[in-house]
Amino acid sequence: MRRGLLSDYFDGVAVKQLSAVEANALRSNQHEFNSSKQLKSLLGTPDRVKYPTIFVWIGGEQEALSEEGFLTWYQSRKLPRREHRLYFPTNAVCDAAAEGDVLFIARRTDNTLMAIIVPGHSTIQNQLLWLFGLEMQPALQFESLEISKDNAAELDFTARYILDELGIEVEEPEADRLDALIEKFGLVFPTTRVLSDLARTSLPQVSAVDDPDAALTAWIDREEQLFRRLERHVVADRIKNGFHSDEGTDVDGFMSFSKSVQNRRKKRAGLALEHHLEAVFSAHRLRFDREAETENRNKPDFLFPGQEEYRNLAFPAERLTMLGSKSTLKDRWRQVLSEAERITQKHLLTLEPGISENQTNEMQAKQLQLILPQSLHETYLESQRGWLMTLGNFVELVKERQRAE
């Protein structure tokens, strides 16, 4: 199925790390950046342009901030020493900036801008660097990159995940084909298992036996497309019918519906991942229990070979394996650490790209092995990749342990 490209949404980006002076300036009444060769490459050299801008701040577990505003790129000095400056208005996003944060100025194809501020050396920083194709860590001077069809990332599941974090909804290039697959559901969401089954059967050429990593990403990608397309129809119908109450417009009803949409997305993503992992393990004829109960009523997502062997203290602990699965992590990976006391090294599979080096270092210290589909490894720093496992690696590990029984 064809994919869109990042160049359909952006045509350039500049990035820099904020110094203490710049972070303070963003929170004062004089928040301006002086011109640089890289900013001129991104914005040109007009006398004065006022760009409609979406300001975004994303950081850690805190709620993301988003605010509409503008950026003014203007010539502060005339020839022969032409100098441009970029002016920021006061807003909540700029107020959240701190020394060491990273600023992305991204130019949209509709000639608007996004100003994105994220913590330095964070997961979201790594994700944005990968998305925009920037290989170097941000320095105190702007670096820029033109985004074209030749160098733009394809909007696969990983790219769409990051764009979703920025509040950008990606249009599917083959909507008619997706509509044909979900037509039988009408305006009713099927169970997650039914939609997961449909995603897999719609891709008969994909083989979990031949390539478990590629199979998992293809199935997850397809299910995400199917779900979002069905969701679009359901939401459009609900909006068409309106939100009304005896007092007039039902604001509470609208807010409740919006929250339910977000909650459904999160819950479905985690269940879908478990369904597709189950299909991979079954294809390789691994023995496992899903959500078996261990100590203190903990229920790891997958336990190999199963609950019976885990509870049998005569069964060697080194032949037991547990796997947690979380579509996204944030700080929730620590939940896995207490889920099976007999197993010293835990395994955790996620679809989260570009997790920060600080977090992966802590995982190693806690004897938690991170697993990602092969295609996501490129979103991580070179220093992290040697430690990461693929799903194929994990399947072979479990096979080896089960052959030794």
Side-chain angles (χ1 to χ4, degrees):
M1 185 170 281
R2 288 190 299 106
R3 286 270 176 247
L5 296 172
L6 187 66
S7 57
D8 297 332
Y9 296 84
F10 294 96
D11 56 25
V13 64
V15 60
K16 76 180 308 295
Q17 187 180 61
L18 298 177
S19 66
V21 172
E22 290 168 327
N24 290 334
L26 285 172
R27 297 191 297 268
S28 72
N29 293 322
Q30 300 295 323
H31 23 90
E32 289 186 332
F33 286 106
N34 291 331
S35 63
S36 70
K37 179 180 178 180
Q38 302 294 351
L39 266 183
K40 288 180 180 178
S41 174
L42 178 70
L43 302 176
T45 55
D47 287 343
R48 185 183 185 89
V49 177
K50 189 174 183 178
Y51 290 100
T53 303
I54 300 294
F55 294 84
V56 179
W57 185 90
I58 307 174
E61 292 294 299
Q62 300 178 30
E63 192 73 23
L65 299 174
S66 180
E67 190 168 322
E68 294 184 3
F70 63 89
L71 287 170
T72 302
W73 178 241
Y74 70 99
Q75 184 176 272
S76 60
R77 282 185 184 174
K78 303 295 183 182
L79 293 173
R81 293 188 60 191
R82 177 178 290 184
E83 182 178 307
H84 280 72
R85 292 183 178 178
L86 185 65
Y87 171 77
F88 289 74
T90 300
N91 60 57
V93 172
C94 292
D95 288 345
E99 179 184 2
D101 284 354
V102 174
L103 169 67
F104 292 82
I105 303 292
R107 183 166 180 163
R108 301 289 303 272
T109 53
D110 61 1
N111 208 33
T112 64
L113 300 178
M114 292 192 75
I116 308 160
I117 300 177
V118 301
H121 306 289
S122 63
T123 295
I124 185 62
Q125 176 205 279
N126 294 346
Q127 292 171 350
L128 291 172
L129 291 175
W130 174 82
L131 178 71
F132 290 123
L134 296 161
E135 297 182 0
M136 301 296 292
Q137 289 293 299
L140 293 175
Q141 297 295 321
F142 271 109
E143 294 292 335
S144 68
L145 178 71
E146 178 184 354
I147 299 172
S148 67
K149 291 183 178 180
D150 295 330
N151 67 358
E154 187 179 52
L155 298 184
D156 59 8
F157 173 82
T158 307
R160 294 202 312 275
Y161 167 86
I162 300 169
L163 290 175
D164 193 54
E165 290 283 287
L166 299 177
I168 297 175
E169 194 82 17
V170 176
E171 295 183 7
E172 292 296 343
E174 296 188 8
D176 291 344
R177 186 176 175 185
L178 294 172
D179 285 344
L181 289 169
I182 61 174
E183 184 179 10
K184 60 185 176 183
F185 302 131
L187 296 175
V188 178
F189 285 104
T191 65
T192 308
R193 185 172 287 279
V194 167
L195 198 61
S196 296
D197 288 343
L198 175 60
R200 292 194 298 272
T201 57
S202 71
L203 296 169
Q205 74 281 12
V206 173
S207 170
V209 173
D210 294 340
D211 191 336
D213 291 83
L216 181 65
T217 53
W219 292 340
I220 287 287
D221 196 14
R222 174 56 60 86
E223 181 164 351
E224 183 74 11
Q225 291 176 296
L226 294 171
F227 174 80
R228 290 298 181 98
R229 191 63 190 168
L230 179 56
E231 180 187 64
R232 182 178 290 271
H233 291 310
V234 172
V235 171
D237 181 73
R238 184 68 181 87
I239 292 174
K240 179 181 177 181
N241 291 328
F243 295 86
H244 305 289
S245 67
D246 294 339
E247 291 77 26
T249 303
D250 185 7
V251 176
D252 289 340
F254 171 78
M255 297 297 290
S256 177
F257 176 73
S258 177
K259 186 176 181 179
S260 71
V261 169
Q262 297 301 318
N263 288 340
R264 184 189 292 115
R265 285 184 178 184
K266 294 175 183 177
K267 183 178 180 180
R268 182 210 58 84
L271 287 173
L273 177 58
E274 291 180 28
H275 293 329
H276 295 310
L277 283 171
E278 183 178 9
V280 169
F281 300 148
S282 296
H284 284 267
R285 299 183 178 181
L286 301 180
R287 293 190 294 117
F288 65 91
D289 282 338
R290 188 168 166 182
E291 294 192 344
E293 190 170 293
T294 59
E295 301 84 4
N296 303 315
R297 296 187 177 179
N298 282 310
K299 293 183 178 180
D301 295 318
F302 296 92
L303 189 61
F304 306 82
Q307 180 171 284
E308 180 181 347
E309 290 82 0
Y310 186 85
R311 291 182 174 179
N312 178 7
L313 298 183
F315 189 88
E318 62 271 16
R319 295 181 188 171
L320 297 169
T321 312
M322 69 141 289
L323 176 71
S325 67
K326 295 184 182 296
S327 56
T328 61
L329 286 190
K330 306 302 182 186
D331 284 332
R332 296 181 299 124
W333 60 267
R334 294 179 182 86
Q335 297 170 3
V336 176
L337 299 177
S338 62
E339 289 183 346
E341 293 179 4
R342 288 194 66 197
I343 301 173
T344 302
Q345 185 178 51
K346 313 295 196 297
H347 289 81
L348 174 62
L349 184 141
T350 187
L351 302 175
E352 177 111 25
I355 294 171
S356 70
E357 196 164 20
N358 286 340
Q359 287 209 53
T360 57
N361 286 343
E362 187 177 352
M363 290 177 193
Q364 291 183 66
K366 300 288 188 182
Q367 293 187 284
L368 178 65
Q369 176 62 59
L370 191 62
I371 304 167
L372 302 113
Q374 179 68 64
S375 61
L376 268 71
H377 286 218
E378 66 181 36
T379 69
Y380 285 71
L381 302 177
E382 190 68 37
S383 57
Q384 296 170 292
R385 294 177 194 171
W387 168 71
L388 299 174
M389 283 183 70
T390 66
L391 179 55
N393 296 151
F394 178 77
V395 167
E396 290 305 313
L397 172 68
V398 176
K399 281 183 178 179
E400 184 64 29
R401 290 179 177 178
Q402 295 192 354
R403 279 195 291 266
E405 292 173 20

